[in-house]
Amino acid sequence: MHEIANAIVEVVGDLGYMGIFVMMFLESTFFPFPSEVAMIPAGYLAFKGEMNLTLVIVTGLLGSLGGALFNYYLAKRYGRRGILKFGKYLFFDEAKLNKMETFFKKHGSFSTLTSRLIPGVRQFISLPAGLAKMPLKPFLLYTGVGAGIWVVILTLLGYFIGDNRTLIDAYLHQIVMGALGVIAFATIIYVRRNN
C-alpha cells in the first residue's frame, strides 16, 4: 500500500497543477475517480515544498467546478435521454439517475452543496440540477462551497499528515463521517428555515 501511495504522489508531482485539475474534473463527472487520489498527495507535495498549498487548493476547486459544470450542461442540453445514452458506457444507469433526481427534488438546490461532501453522490448531483435548469449562479455558489470544503479537507490532510498512509486512512474515515454529520445538521437548519 505504501508503494502504491508513493507511486500516486510521483504521478501527481509529474503532472503538476494541470494533473490536479484534470483528475478533479474527472472526479466531478461520470468517471469513478476518487478525489483522495489527487488531493491528498498534492497536499503532501505542498508539505514538502514541491507545490504551493494555495495553488493546489484553487486548482482542485477549479477542476471540481469544471467537472460539475460539464455534468450540469450535459443534462441541461441533452436531457434524461441523452444522459442515459451517454451514461450507459460509464456504468451510470436510470436507477442511479432516479435516485439523484429524488435526492435533488427532496432537498432542493441546497443539495448541490451538501452532496459535494457525500462520496458516490457528489459526482452525479449536477445532473438533476441541470435537468431542473437550476439557475447558474446559485449552482456555482453551492457547488463551489461544497467542493471547496472537500478539497481543503483532503489537501490539508495530505499536508499535515504527510506520507503516513495509516494515519491518512484512519483520519479520512473520521472526516467522511464528520462531513456527513455536518451535512445532516446543515440540512436540518435549511429545512427549518424554509418551512
Side-chain angles (χ1 to χ4, degrees):
M1 191 62 149
H2 188 70
E3 290 175 7
I4 293 170
N6 284 338
I8 291 169
V9 168
E10 285 180 22
V11 169
V12 172
D14 290 342
L15 295 175
Y17 298 106
M18 183 54 71
I20 293 170
F21 178 87
V22 169
M23 286 188 272
M24 293 305 289
F25 181 95
L26 291 174
E27 189 270 342
S28 290
T29 60
F30 285 96
F31 298 95
F33 187 88
S35 52
E36 297 85 347
V37 171
M39 298 316 302
I40 293 176
Y44 173 60
L45 290 171
F47 163 78
K48 290 173 65 178
E50 295 179 22
M51 297 186 101
N52 179 282
L53 183 63
T54 302
L55 286 177
V56 164
I57 291 170
V58 169
T59 305
L61 174 58
L62 290 175
S64 293
L65 281 173
L69 280 169
F70 177 84
N71 276 5
Y72 173 86
Y73 280 116
L74 186 72
K76 194 172 180 180
R77 172 84 169 87
Y78 296 104
R80 290 184 104 259
R81 184 176 292 180
I83 291 171
L84 294 173
K85 185 177 180 181
F86 179 71
K88 69 182 178 183
Y89 299 107
L90 298 164
F91 311 106
F92 185 79
D93 56 19
E94 190 169 6
K96 287 182 183 174
L97 181 57
N98 289 340
K99 285 180 184 177
M100 291 298 102
E101 285 186 300
T102 301
F103 188 84
F104 183 81
K105 287 174 185 173
K106 185 176 180 182
H107 302 289
S109 57
F110 187 69
S111 65
T112 58
L113 185 155
T114 57
S115 65
R116 299 301 302 180
L117 302 169
I118 304 174
V121 175
R122 64 174 164 263
Q123 292 91 340
F124 305 118
I125 195 62
S126 301
L127 296 172
L131 288 175
K133 294 180 170 54
M134 178 181 173
L136 187 59
K137 284 184 180 178
F139 173 77
L140 286 174
L141 175 64
Y142 290 142
T143 301
V145 171
I149 291 169
W150 187 243
V151 166
V152 167
I153 286 171
L154 293 179
T155 305
L156 292 181
L157 189 61
Y159 186 86
F160 288 113
I161 295 178
D163 63 350
N164 190 327
R165 189 71 201 178
T166 304
L167 280 177
I168 288 174
D169 290 341
Y171 281 107
L172 186 59
H173 176 72
Q174 292 174 13
I175 286 169
V176 169
M177 297 310 292
L180 291 174
V182 169
I183 290 167
F185 181 71
T187 302
I188 289 168
I189 291 173
Y190 177 80
V191 168
R192 286 186 177 176
R193 288 183 68 179
N194 290 284
N195 284 338

